[in-house]
Structure formats: structure tokens, C-alpha cells
């Protein structure tokens, strides 16, 4: 799989393991994808599927020494970040690639002013600038992300701001050095729906103004539909479906994707109508089932031994649309209604 010439980030054959007492446990398994300049790519899946660990690995921010990159490459504008010495990785983090973490209250220092924290992010890569210039840049960043009275905000502490404003501050810090790609790990977690929309509007506007690519990690399919260009569906540490958002949402080619979409509330639901839940529980990485990891929960598998014996590979079944299901292409009559096939 050759990197696309416009790719800012190209991940190839990435596998991540956690060292356990008996043996190593694979959490991210042979993952490959590209993110092109100026686009938003979403990685979506249930909690515990390995999404956040994948996000951290892109910046070489492994949460523990026991978590190791077993194989693969992370090409950031052609440079394999995974193969660099730690000092060179620090030079790229926050500069070429930056991250917005899930919880702004735990990501921001509670006893340091907002202005000082943004200035520190700037100084880490632009230390030759004077303090006054860096403060001016910090105010400009807060203006860019829609923080009111940005100069007053510079002297504020995190606890003096709302959750939505703190998240905007994190976005401002991520933009401090004009990165080529922003990794946003569940950026709207614990925010109400209105604030979620505002935060995503900010990210979308920032992408338009700066040209930065965005890798959005989420479990919210609605967020993906409204904000992403392409989507990677993640299950048990693997990509099980990938494609443009409109194609994947209109004709999902993997049973897991379809199940996720069917679990979303819709406008035509009656008060007594129940949401469709996915049977079973996400698998234990230490005891993944043989064959397709989703087959114990899959409504399409029943009576088919192939799913429990052979792991499916991610295969292109339509232009720019791939699925890791043995029956994605052959059994369209079982996957879709006739009117869906005609789209």
C-alpha cells in the first residue's frame, strides 16, 4: 500500500502490544491508513476497541513502558516518526503533529494561567520569539478558536472557564505552532450537545483557515456524519471498514458498521420504540475469538463456519471503500434492502 502523494500522515502495518505475564497481547493489529492535507478522517468504534491507544502511538506517547510498537511505520510528511530518537520525536510533537486530549480539566495545569500554558506550547518550538510576541500570538490563537475577551482570558485559570471554553483553549494550544495534522481524541466527551456542536464548528473553521488535517477519534457516529470526510471503523484493534462517510453510511459493507448505525436514535422513532443494541460484549484482547473477532456478535455469521475459522482481510469492494468481512461483496441481498442497492 503506497502512501498517497498528498498524505500528511501515512500509517503502515502498525501493530502495538502490551507485555503481559504470560505473553504479549496485541491491541492494535496491522493497521494502515492515510490522512491527506486539509481533510478530516474519523476513527470510530466502541469504547475499548484500541482507538485511543492508536492515537497516542501516532505521537509516540505510549501510556506505559509495557506498551510497545511491535512493527509498522508512522510516516509524518515522509519521515518515519516511530523510528526517530526521542529528542527528534519531541521536536515534531506539538509542531508538525499535535493532539487534543479527551478531558481538558486533566490536560490543563490547574495552577498555571491559560496565557502561560499557551506561551509554553509556543516557546517549546519557537523559543527565539520574545515573550510579548508569544503573548500576542496566544491572544490571536484564542481569538481564532472563538474565546471571548481573549486578552482577559490569558490571565484566567482553567477552573474559571466552562468546559467548552477549556476545550477551545486545548484547541488553541494544539494550533500554537501551525501543525500539519491535529489528532483529536474524543474532543467532545462530557460536553452537552450544544457545546459539542460549537467545539466541532471551531475545529472545522480552523481546518478551513489553516489547512491542517484532522484525525478525529470518537465513538459518536453522528459526530462522524456531520464532520468527517472519510471514516475508519475500528473493532478489536483492527480496521473492519473504511471509506468516504457518505458511502459507508449509505451502504455499510460490514455487519459491525451496520449495527453501529442501527443503534443511533432517529427522528422518526416513536416514544415506545426501543433502540437496537449490538448483541454481546466487546471481546477481551487477551482471548480474541478465532477467525473474525466480531463473529460471536454478528447476525450475518449464523451457520457459516468460515467466520469462526478464518480472519478476513480488509479488501476494497468498491472504489475507495474497503471491508474486512467474508461476505461483504457476495451477500449484498442479506446486507441491504433492494432500495439501498439502487442508490
Amino acid at each position: 500500500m503506497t502512501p498517497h502523494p498528498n498524505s500528511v500522515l501515512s500509517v503502515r502495518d502498525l501493530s502495538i502490544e502490551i507485555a503481559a505475564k504470560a505473553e504479549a497481547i496485541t491491541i492494535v493489529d496491522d493497521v494502515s491508513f492515510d490522512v491527506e492535507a486539509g481533510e478530516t478522517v474519523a476513527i470510530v468504534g466502541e469504547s475499548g476497541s484500541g482507538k485511543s491507544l492508536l492515537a497516542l502511538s501516532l505521537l509516540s506517547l505510549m501510556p506505559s513502558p509495557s506498551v510497545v510498537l511491535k512493527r509498522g511505520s508512522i510516516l509524518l510528511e515522509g519521515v518515519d516518526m516511530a523510528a526517530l530518537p526521542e529528542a527528534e520525536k519531541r521536536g515534531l510533537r506539538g509542531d508538525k503533529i499535535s493532539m487534543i486530549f479527551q478531558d481538558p480539566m486533566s490536560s490543563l495545569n490547574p495552577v498555571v494561567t491559560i496565557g502561560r500554558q499557551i506561551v509554553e506550547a509556543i516557546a517549546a518550538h519557537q523559543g527565539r520569539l520574545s515573550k510579548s510576541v508569544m503573548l500576542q500570538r496566544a491572544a490571536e490563537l484564542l481569538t481564532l478558536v472563538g474565546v471571548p475577551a481573549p486578552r482577559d482570558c490569558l490571565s484566567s485559570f482553567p477552573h474559571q472557564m466552562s468546559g467548552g471554553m477549556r476545550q477551545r483553549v486545548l484547541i488553541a494550544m494544539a494550533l500554537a505552532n501551525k501543525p500539519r495534522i491535529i489528532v483529536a481524541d474524543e474532543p467532545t466527551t462530557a460536553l452537552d450537545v450544544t457545546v459539542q456542536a460549537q467545539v466541532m464548528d471551531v475545529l472545522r473553521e480552523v481546518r478551513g483557515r489553516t489547512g491542517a488535517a484532522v484525525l478525529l477519534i470518537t465513538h459518536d457516529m453522528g459526530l462522524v456524519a456531520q464532520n468527517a470526510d472519510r471514516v475508519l471503523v475500528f473493532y478489536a484493534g483492527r480496521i473492519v471498514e473504511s471509506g468516504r462517510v457518505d458511502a459507508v453510511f449509505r451502504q455499510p459493507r460490514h455487519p459491525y458498521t451496520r449495527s453501529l448505525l442501527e443503534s443511533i436514535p432517529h427522528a422518526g422513532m416513536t416514544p415506545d420504540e426501543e433502540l437496537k443494541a449490538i448483541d454481546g460484549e466487546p471481546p477481551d484482547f487477551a482471548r480474541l475469538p478465532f477467525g473474525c473477532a466480531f463473529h460471536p456478535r454478528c447476525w450475518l455469521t449464523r451457520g457459516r463456519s468460515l467466520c469462526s475459522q478464518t480472519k478476513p482481510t480488509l479488501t476494497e469492494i468498491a472504489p475507495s471503500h474497503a471491508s474486512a468481512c467474508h461476505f461483504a461483496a457476495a451477500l449484498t441481498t442479506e446486507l441491504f434492502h433492494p432500495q439501498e442497492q439502487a442508490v
Side-chain angles (χ1 to χ4, degrees):
M1 187 176 177
T2 305
H4 191 279
N6 292 330
S7 295
V8 175
L9 178 71
S10 295
V11 175
R12 291 293 177 270
D13 308 318
L14 188 69
S15 293
I16 299 171
E17 294 182 347
I18 295 179
K21 291 182 179 178
E23 59 182 351
I25 300 171
T26 300
I27 304 296
V28 174
D29 184 12
D30 198 28
V31 167
S32 298
F33 64 91
D34 290 305
V35 183
E36 295 181 18
E39 74 168 345
T40 296
V41 175
I43 297 180
V44 66
E46 294 169 288
S47 297
S49 61
K51 306 185 306 297
S52 290
L53 183 58
L54 171 62
L56 290 169
S57 74
L58 299 179
L59 289 87
S60 295
L61 293 175
M62 297 303 192
S64 162
S66 63
V67 181
V68 296
L69 194 155
K70 184 66 175 178
R71 64 179 177 274
S73 60
I74 301 168
L75 301 176
L76 183 60
E77 294 192 318
V79 176
D80 188 358
M81 190 165 175
L84 294 177
E86 181 57 32
E88 292 185 40
K89 290 177 182 178
R90 284 198 299 269
L92 292 175
R93 281 195 294 260
D95 185 23
K96 296 291 186 182
I97 182 170
S98 60
M99 189 164 185
I100 303 168
F101 293 93
Q102 291 186 25
D103 182 6
M105 203 56 191
S106 62
S107 301
L108 294 169
N109 191 325
V111 297
V112 177
T113 64
I114 296 299
R116 181 178 166 187
Q117 293 188 61
I118 299 176
V119 165
E120 286 178 351
I122 298 170
H125 300 281
Q126 303 179 64
R128 295 180 180 179
L129 297 177
S130 67
K131 185 176 181 181
S132 61
V133 170
M134 286 191 279
L135 282 170
Q136 175 64 28
R137 170 68 176 154
E140 291 171 355
L141 288 166
L142 291 175
T143 301
L144 177 64
V145 298
V147 173
R151 291 199 170 274
D152 294 338
C153 177
L154 292 176
S155 59
S156 299
F157 290 90
H159 73 273
Q160 296 174 308
M161 308 181 74
S162 68
M165 287 298 112
R166 287 194 292 266
Q167 194 63 283
R168 290 173 189 240
V169 169
L170 283 187
I171 296 173
M173 292 176 68
L175 292 169
N177 299 291
K178 301 180 181 179
R180 298 288 290 132
I181 181 168
I182 301 167
V183 180
D185 184 15
E186 302 276 9
T188 60
T189 297
L191 300 178
D192 64 49
V193 176
T194 302
V195 178
Q196 281 185 18
Q198 292 172 352
V199 168
M200 293 312 300
D201 284 345
V202 168
L203 267 178
R204 190 162 47 246
E205 184 175 349
V206 161
R207 185 188 70 166
R209 287 192 185 186
T210 67
V214 176
L215 184 65
L216 174 64
I217 315 294
T218 184
H219 62 272
D220 187 334
M221 297 295 276
L223 213 62
V224 173
Q226 295 168 7
N227 297 280
D229 301 303
R230 290 189 296 117
V231 59
L232 312 174
V233 182
F234 219 58
Y235 187 80
R238 299 185 72 213
I239 296 173
V240 296
E241 185 165 6
S242 66
R244 292 200 60 81
V245 168
D246 55 353
V248 171
F249 275 57
R250 186 174 67 246
Q251 291 190 335
R253 297 284 181 164
H254 194 282
Y256 178 60
T257 309
R258 188 176 181 93
S259 297
L260 285 176
L261 292 170
E262 288 179 341
S263 68
I264 302 173
H266 57 85
M269 291 185 69
T270 61
D272 58 346
E273 186 177 350
E274 293 185 4
L275 288 174
K276 292 186 178 180
I278 304 176
D279 293 338
E281 299 289 336
D284 181 347
F285 280 100
R287 291 184 292 274
L288 287 178
F290 288 106
C292 174
F294 186 61
H295 88 261
R297 309 172 69 189
C298 182
W299 48 269
L300 185 62
T301 298
R302 297 184 180 92
R304 297 187 174 96
S305 59
L306 177 63
C307 300
S308 60
Q309 296 173 355
T310 306
K311 182 187 292 188
T313 58
L314 187 66
T315 305
E316 188 172 74
I317 54 171
S320 303
H321 192 167
S323 172
C325 174
H326 293 300
F327 304 103
L331 299 183
T332 54
T333 53
E334 293 193 33
L335 281 169
F336 309 113
H337 300 299
Q339 63 268 29
E340 290 177 311
Q341 295 182 54
V343 174

